[in-house]
PDB file of all heavy atoms in Angstrom:
ATOM      1  N   GLU A 248     -10.946  -7.403  12.164  1.00 68.00           N
ATOM      2  CA  GLU A 248     -10.527  -6.527  11.074  1.00 68.00           C
ATOM      3  C   GLU A 248     -11.395  -5.281  11.066  1.00 68.00           C
ATOM      4  O   GLU A 248     -12.622  -5.367  10.996  1.00 68.00           O
ATOM      5  CB  GLU A 248     -10.659  -7.267   9.733  1.00 68.00           C
ATOM      6  CG  GLU A 248     -10.128  -6.493   8.558  1.00 68.00           C
ATOM      7  CD  GLU A 248      -8.648  -6.192   8.689  1.00 68.00           C
ATOM      8  OE1 GLU A 248      -7.840  -7.115   8.566  1.00 68.00           O
ATOM      9  OE2 GLU A 248      -8.325  -5.012   8.941  1.00 68.00           O
ATOM     10  N   GLU A 252     -14.355  -3.098   3.984  1.00 93.00           N
ATOM     11  CA  GLU A 252     -14.424  -4.402   3.323  1.00 93.00           C
ATOM     12  C   GLU A 252     -13.686  -4.409   1.990  1.00 93.00           C
ATOM     13  O   GLU A 252     -13.047  -5.406   1.637  1.00 93.00           O
ATOM     14  CB  GLU A 252     -15.885  -4.806   3.111  1.00 93.00           C
ATOM     15  CG  GLU A 252     -16.058  -6.200   2.526  1.00 93.00           C
ATOM     16  CD  GLU A 252     -17.510  -6.610   2.383  1.00 93.00           C
ATOM     17  OE1 GLU A 252     -18.391  -5.790   2.718  1.00 93.00           O
ATOM     18  OE2 GLU A 252     -17.759  -7.733   1.922  1.00 93.00           O
ATOM     19  N   SER A 300      -2.042   2.866  -1.410  1.00 97.00           N
ATOM     20  CA  SER A 300      -2.553   4.217  -1.680  1.00 97.00           C
ATOM     21  C   SER A 300      -3.949   4.380  -1.089  1.00 97.00           C
ATOM     22  O   SER A 300      -4.257   5.387  -0.439  1.00 97.00           O
ATOM     23  CB  SER A 300      -2.622   4.483  -3.185  1.00 97.00           C
ATOM     24  OG  SER A 300      -1.387   4.292  -3.808  1.00 97.00           O
ATOM     25  N   TYR A 306      -7.078   6.612   5.853  1.00 94.00           N
ATOM     26  CA  TYR A 306      -6.669   6.982   7.207  1.00 94.00           C
ATOM     27  C   TYR A 306      -5.936   8.311   7.301  1.00 94.00           C
ATOM     28  O   TYR A 306      -5.570   8.726   8.400  1.00 94.00           O
ATOM     29  CB  TYR A 306      -5.832   5.849   7.811  1.00 94.00           C
ATOM     30  CG  TYR A 306      -6.651   4.591   7.980  1.00 94.00           C
ATOM     31  CD1 TYR A 306      -6.571   3.550   7.053  1.00 94.00           C
ATOM     32  CD2 TYR A 306      -7.547   4.463   9.031  1.00 94.00           C
ATOM     33  CE1 TYR A 306      -7.345   2.406   7.191  1.00 94.00           C
ATOM     34  CE2 TYR A 306      -8.326   3.326   9.168  1.00 94.00           C
ATOM     35  CZ  TYR A 306      -8.220   2.303   8.246  1.00 94.00           C
ATOM     36  OH  TYR A 306      -8.997   1.170   8.380  1.00 94.00           O
ATOM     37  N   LYS A 372      13.698  -2.172  -4.829  1.00 80.00           N
ATOM     38  CA  LYS A 372      14.547  -1.925  -3.668  1.00 80.00           C
ATOM     39  C   LYS A 372      15.947  -1.452  -4.046  1.00 80.00           C
ATOM     40  O   LYS A 372      16.528  -0.614  -3.359  1.00 80.00           O
ATOM     41  CB  LYS A 372      14.641  -3.182  -2.798  1.00 80.00           C
ATOM     42  CG  LYS A 372      13.301  -3.858  -2.525  1.00 80.00           C
ATOM     43  CD  LYS A 372      12.207  -2.901  -2.095  1.00 80.00           C
ATOM     44  CE  LYS A 372      10.849  -3.563  -2.134  1.00 80.00           C
ATOM     45  NZ  LYS A 372       9.732  -2.630  -1.997  1.00 80.00           N
ATOM     46  N   TYR A 381      16.630  12.937  -4.696  1.00 96.00           N
ATOM     47  CA  TYR A 381      15.406  13.645  -5.094  1.00 96.00           C
ATOM     48  C   TYR A 381      14.410  13.697  -3.938  1.00 96.00           C
ATOM     49  O   TYR A 381      13.759  14.725  -3.715  1.00 96.00           O
ATOM     50  CB  TYR A 381      14.762  12.953  -6.299  1.00 96.00           C
ATOM     51  CG  TYR A 381      15.712  12.706  -7.447  1.00 96.00           C
ATOM     52  CD1 TYR A 381      15.866  11.442  -7.997  1.00 96.00           C
ATOM     53  CD2 TYR A 381      16.471  13.748  -7.971  1.00 96.00           C
ATOM     54  CE1 TYR A 381      16.745  11.214  -9.038  1.00 96.00           C
ATOM     55  CE2 TYR A 381      17.354  13.525  -9.017  1.00 96.00           C
ATOM     56  CZ  TYR A 381      17.488  12.250  -9.547  1.00 96.00           C
ATOM     57  OH  TYR A 381      18.361  12.035 -10.578  1.00 96.00           O
ATOM     58  N   LEU A 403      19.921  -8.615   4.462  1.00 48.00           N
ATOM     59  CA  LEU A 403      20.695  -7.384   4.621  1.00 48.00           C
ATOM     60  C   LEU A 403      21.737  -7.539   5.734  1.00 48.00           C
ATOM     61  O   LEU A 403      22.784  -6.896   5.691  1.00 48.00           O
ATOM     62  CB  LEU A 403      19.768  -6.210   4.945  1.00 48.00           C
ATOM     63  CG  LEU A 403      20.435  -4.834   4.911  1.00 48.00           C
ATOM     64  CD1 LEU A 403      20.606  -4.375   3.466  1.00 48.00           C
ATOM     65  CD2 LEU A 403      19.635  -3.800   5.692  1.00 48.00           C
ATOM     66  N   VAL A 437      15.239   5.343  12.535  1.00 94.00           N
ATOM     67  CA  VAL A 437      15.272   4.075  13.246  1.00 94.00           C
ATOM     68  C   VAL A 437      14.981   2.963  12.246  1.00 94.00           C
ATOM     69  O   VAL A 437      14.251   3.168  11.266  1.00 94.00           O
ATOM     70  CB  VAL A 437      14.246   4.014  14.407  1.00 94.00           C
ATOM     71  CG1 VAL A 437      14.625   4.966  15.512  1.00 94.00           C
ATOM     72  CG2 VAL A 437      12.833   4.299  13.918  1.00 94.00           C
ATOM     73  N   LEU A 439      13.271  -0.690  11.886  1.00 88.00           N
ATOM     74  CA  LEU A 439      12.290  -1.521  12.569  1.00 88.00           C
ATOM     75  C   LEU A 439      12.213  -2.893  11.902  1.00 88.00           C
ATOM     76  O   LEU A 439      12.436  -3.019  10.694  1.00 88.00           O
ATOM     77  CB  LEU A 439      10.913  -0.856  12.521  1.00 88.00           C
ATOM     78  CG  LEU A 439      10.838   0.604  13.019  1.00 88.00           C
ATOM     79  CD1 LEU A 439       9.449   1.172  12.758  1.00 88.00           C
ATOM     80  CD2 LEU A 439      11.186   0.689  14.493  1.00 88.00           C
TER      81      LEU A 439
END
Side-chain angles (χ1 to χ4, degrees):
E248 185 61 71
E252 184 177 1
S300 304
Y306 296 100
K372 313 313 167 192
Y381 309 127
L403 189 78
V437 292
L439 307 173

